[in-house]
């Protein structure tokens, strides 16, 4: 047995954490929460006004943040973002693949989903995760340390009607996380997926009626609506030193609504 080293949890001081789609919602709360844990935050977001607002909030509170315009569906845009992070900090410790086409989606039977919308959702939500993950590899491999966290969904184990492209995209991230974890473990890089339950952010979603919200809460072991802060502890743990032996895992952070 090796000498037991003290683990400071969450030990994120000065770690460089890229959070895609952190201009609003869950990503925004992650950006602020990780900044409070001492990390240097990169908000890689398509919506620049929102990204700069989040960066300003973090900096006003004494944290460190960089907003970089990024389209996760575009390899050239991702390369520019990663290059800028490398030039500024020389390291990338954590990537949270959070950007997705989600809150803007209309619900409809899958036979009515336009093919272009289907393809866009898969491009951003699946291909975007693969592209961002492979772009950060050189710096993570150099450091022999890295954490990739993929935001999947608690709707995958449930199977929710009306969003076939979205649920398909989030299902893909489970297999992707497990397979990437197998490819990257020897490099000290872990890859895990978080399955949030229905999480209520500052963005109003017309697709969840008050009755549906009450039904969702009734399914949970913890009987209250989930907030973005409820996901933060799981993400901080998966980004920390303490999770080095946790990889290829799927963690339901949904108040106990589902068990996989
Ligand atoms: N809120 C929930 O109930 C819930 C539940 C399960 C999983 N999730 C997942 O958690 C993550 C965050 O959810 P949310 O509720 O904050 O979503 P949201 O729709 O409110 O925010 C998504 C963010 O991603 C950005 N984005 C979209 N396409 C992009 C692109 N091509 N490049 C860069 N940025 C892009 C948007 O501008 C936006 O800021 C998503 O991956 C979502 O699928 C959310």
């Amino acid at each position: 047995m090796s000498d037991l080293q003290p683990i400071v949890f969450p030990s994120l001081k000065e770690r460089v954490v890229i959070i895609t789609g952190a201009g609003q919602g869950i990503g925004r709360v992650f950006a602020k929460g990780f900044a409070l844990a001492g990390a240097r935050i990169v908000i890689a977001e398509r919506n620049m006004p929102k990204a700069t607002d989040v960066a300003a909030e973090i900096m006003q509170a004494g944290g460190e943040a960089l907003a970089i315009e990024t389209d996760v569906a575009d390899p050239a845009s991702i390369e520019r973002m990663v290059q800028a992070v490398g030039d500024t900090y020389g390291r990338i410790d954590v990537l949270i693949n959070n950007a997705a086409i989600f809150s803007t989606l209309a619900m409809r039977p899958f036979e009515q989903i336009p093919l272009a919308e289907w393809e866009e959702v898969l491009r951003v939500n699946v291909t975007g995760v693969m592209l961002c993950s492979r772009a950060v590899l050189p710096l993570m491999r150099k450091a022999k340390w890295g954490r990739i966290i993929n935001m999947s969904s608690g709707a995958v184990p449930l199977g929710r009607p009306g969003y076939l492209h979205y649920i398909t995209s989030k299902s893909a991230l489970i297999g992707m996380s497990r397979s990437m974890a197998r490819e990257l473990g020897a490099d000290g890089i872990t890859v895990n997926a978080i399955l949030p339950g229905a999480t209520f952010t500052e963005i109003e979603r017309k697709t969840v009626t008050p009755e549906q919200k009450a039904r969702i809460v009734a399914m949970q072991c913890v009987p209250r609506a989930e907030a973005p802060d409820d996901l933060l502890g799981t993400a901080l743990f998966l980004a920390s030193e303490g999770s080095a032996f946790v990889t290829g895992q799927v963690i339901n952070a949904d108040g106990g609504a589902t068990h996989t």
Side-chain angles (χ1 to χ4, degrees):
M1 190 182 148
S2 59
D3 285 343
L4 191 60
Q5 298 296 320
I7 294 173
V8 180
F9 174 76
S11 56
L12 292 170
K13 203 136 193 65
E14 291 177 4
R15 294 229 179 255
V16 175
V17 178
I18 298 175
I19 309 174
T20 66
Q24 67 180 43
I26 294 170
R28 174 171 168 266
V29 170
F30 278 6
K32 290 163 62 166
F34 273 72
L36 286 173
R40 297 180 281 191
I41 310 301
V42 178
I43 299 150
E45 167 67 75
R46 195 166 58 170
N47 184 328
M48 261 323 256
K50 286 198 168 189
T52 43
D53 280 355
V54 176
E57 270 186 84
I58 290 172
M59 288 186 291
Q60 270 155 25
E64 201 171 332
L66 206 60
I68 305 180
E69 185 167 5
T70 313
D71 178 355
V72 302
D74 174 9
S77 169
I78 295 166
E79 284 307 326
R80 281 195 297 276
M81 180 271 290
V82 165
Q83 181 75 44
V85 179
D87 290 348
T88 308
Y89 296 119
R91 61 193 279 180
I92 296 173
D93 301 286
V94 180
L95 167 68
I96 305 184
N97 283 307
N98 169 80
I101 300 186
F102 170 59
S103 59
T104 50
L105 285 174
M107 292 183 79
R108 50 189 148 202
F110 77 87
E111 66 272 26
Q112 290 170 20
I113 295 176
L115 186 57
E117 184 179 300
W118 174 276
E119 287 177 341
E120 194 198 359
V121 168
L122 293 185
R123 173 82 185 182
V124 172
N125 296 13
V126 181
T127 309
V129 172
M130 182 279 292
L131 290 172
C132 289
S133 301
R134 81 178 178 191
V136 299
L137 282 187
L139 279 174
M140 286 189 179
R141 280 200 167 119
K142 202 169 135 207
K144 284 266 173 209
W145 201 99
R147 300 281 184 267
I148 297 175
I149 301 169
N150 295 326
M151 296 303 283
S152 177
S153 171
V156 171
L158 278 176
R160 195 164 176 229
Y163 284 120
L164 200 69
H165 42 7
Y166 175 76
I167 308 291
T168 302
S169 74
K170 293 292 159 179
S171 308
L173 297 190
I174 294 178
M176 192 194 288
S177 303
R178 289 177 174 155
S179 300
M180 260 189 206
R182 295 239 172 236
E183 292 198 26
L184 300 178
D187 292 312
I189 302 169
T190 66
V191 188
N192 292 287
I194 298 179
L195 272 59
T199 307
F200 297 90
T201 73
E202 80 282 9
I203 306 299
E204 204 173 318
R205 293 206 322 273
K206 292 188 189 79
T207 48
V208 183
T209 62
E211 296 72 36
Q212 279 169 330
K213 188 171 176 178
R215 270 205 301 278
I216 290 165
V217 170
M219 280 171 55
Q220 297 168 188
C221 303
V222 182
R224 62 169 172 78
E226 182 163 6
D229 318 36
D230 290 315
L231 298 159
L232 189 56
T234 305
L236 287 166
F237 166 66
L238 290 176
S240 75
E241 192 57 46
S243 65
F245 225 58
V246 177
T247 192
Q249 303 303 316
V250 171
I251 301 187
N252 301 25
D254 63 0
T258 58
H259 308 274
T260 47

